[in-house]
Amino acid sequence: MSGKTFPVPDLVRRRAVSEGSEGLAWLASLDSTLASLEHDWNLTIGPALEGGSAAFVAEARTSRGESVVVKVSTPATDATRHEVDVLRAAAGKGYVTMLRHHAPRRAMLLEHLGDRLETSELPYEHQMNIVCATLLEAWMLVPAGMTFPTGADKANALGSDIVRMWTETGQPCSSTVIDKALLYCRDRAASYRREHAILAHGDPHPANILAVPGTDRFKFIDPDGIAIEPAYDLGVLLRAWDEGLGGRHAHDIARSHARHLATRTQVSAEAIWQWGFIERVSTGLLLLQLGERAKGQQFLSIAETLLG
């Protein structure tokens, strides 16, 4: 190989180091991995793009001068996500198009998209309308012969994580918040029906949806892949819709946000509400564990006000 080096963003490096020996080995071999992809796929790979943490992502040029994106995931990310399966099943419908994939190198070649929706100056409600419209395009039946985590799996795992993280972070919110989140986890687990499940993105926030250049359309990137009710993806959107939630009417305003998402997608507002509350609590606790105390506490403080 050429001996070319590819500087790794700090967040990606820290993520890989946190994965132990496999992550360290991934880091040590990354230059040779990228050089081999340049050779095998006839590319020139540029500097890493900022913003992600779970993969080395960089813009590249093909031998014909076309702009594409190379993505090489860290070992743990590759093992826990079903990104390749989702992108292959979607074939560009609602999701970034995967042009090539090499499993041993955990590498993908993707179409080049535009700016992330979160960088726009659009009001959050307008961003949510765009995400909802793109979700309606992206949601699909679970492909036959493919296995994904289920809605029951997700609800049960989130319940266990919430209890563990609440204890590990010194019980930073009331037990009433935790009890409500666990009640909703039980409700969503019990509501899971395989025949009603769709293949959901799993994390469709505005940083994971990009503009399609030259059009007014958008596509998702970085899917987790879950066989679950559509309300879960909408709950992920609801968890961070904080507009108007600082006053005495926070609960009613948050409920109106859930109804807005329901109207846009014809999905149950109550199911969206429950998943949104679960996600708000689990995200707040996770942020505290990661040392993001101000952000984490904000999620949990709002959860307190949403108890009604």
Side-chain angles (χ1 to χ4, degrees):
M1 298 300 170
S2 65
K4 181 178 177 180
T5 60
F6 300 87
V8 180
D10 185 56
L11 281 175
V12 178
R13 182 176 298 279
R14 281 191 280 157
R15 175 66 170 262
V17 170
S18 74
E19 295 179 12
S21 59
E22 285 196 349
L24 291 171
W26 179 86
L27 272 175
S29 63
L30 186 58
D31 284 338
S32 61
T33 297
L34 293 169
S36 69
L37 290 172
E38 282 192 318
H39 177 270
D40 295 348
W41 289 351
N42 264 338
L43 304 171
T44 301
I45 299 176
L49 300 173
E50 296 294 335
S53 64
F56 180 94
V57 181
E59 188 172 345
R61 289 280 174 183
T62 69
S63 58
R64 293 180 293 182
E66 298 167 331
S67 181
V68 290
V69 170
V70 170
K71 179 174 183 178
V72 181
S73 297
T74 66
T77 300
D78 188 65
T80 55
R81 280 185 181 169
H82 295 263
E83 182 175 7
V84 170
D85 290 335
V86 174
L87 296 184
R88 184 175 288 127
K93 187 171 184 282
Y95 287 96
V96 62
T97 300
M98 183 172 66
L99 305 171
R100 301 186 74 160
H101 170 236
H102 190 268
R105 288 180 285 194
R106 304 182 183 90
M108 287 180 283
L109 189 66
L110 306 170
E111 71 170 313
H112 183 268
L113 296 174
D115 294 334
R116 297 174 188 264
L117 180 59
E118 71 167 358
T119 65
S120 73
E121 297 181 356
L122 296 172
Y124 195 76
E125 181 176 323
H126 193 162
Q127 292 187 36
M128 293 302 93
N129 293 343
I130 290 171
V131 176
C132 285
T134 310
L135 282 173
L136 290 173
E137 181 182 5
W139 284 336
M140 67 188 99
L141 296 176
V142 180
M146 291 188 181
T147 302
F148 298 91
T150 70
D153 295 334
K154 186 66 175 180
N156 290 329
L158 283 170
S160 297
D161 288 345
I162 286 170
V163 171
R164 174 182 55 78
M165 290 189 294
W166 186 61
T167 301
E168 292 175 352
T169 54
Q171 302 181 4
C173 61
S174 72
S175 60
T176 308
V177 165
I178 301 302
D179 290 343
K180 179 65 75 172
L182 295 180
L183 172 64
Y184 286 161
C185 284
R186 291 192 292 270
D187 284 351
R188 299 329 311 155
S191 298
Y192 172 72
R193 298 290 183 275
R194 183 175 62 180
E195 62 271 20
H196 298 152
I198 53 94
L199 182 55
H201 181 287
D203 199 21
H205 54 75
N208 278 342
I209 180 170
L210 278 61
V212 179
T215 76
D216 58 358
R217 297 171 51 243
F218 288 78
K219 288 186 176 185
F220 287 111
I221 61 169
D222 296 350
D224 291 336
I226 312 173
I228 199 168
E229 59 186 332
Y232 177 74
D233 272 350
L234 300 170
V236 170
L237 302 182
L238 186 63
R239 75 182 178 197
W241 195 344
D242 293 343
E243 185 179 1
L245 303 189
R248 56 189 290 190
H249 301 295
H251 180 271
D252 293 339
I253 293 171
R255 285 282 186 176
S256 74
H257 292 167
R259 289 193 296 273
H260 180 87
L261 296 172
T263 300
R264 285 280 170 173
T265 58
Q266 302 305 302
V267 172
S268 163
E270 179 60 25
I272 296 170
W273 174 263
Q274 292 188 7
W275 280 119
F277 191 86
I278 293 166
E279 278 290 315
R280 183 177 289 278
V281 174
S282 64
T283 299
L285 292 170
L286 178 60
L287 287 169
L288 289 180
Q289 280 207 320
L290 296 174
E292 300 282 347
R293 295 206 62 82
K295 291 181 181 178
Q297 200 59 60
Q298 181 180 2
F299 273 88
L300 297 177
S301 295
I302 291 178
E304 297 276 5
T305 70
L306 298 184
L307 292 173

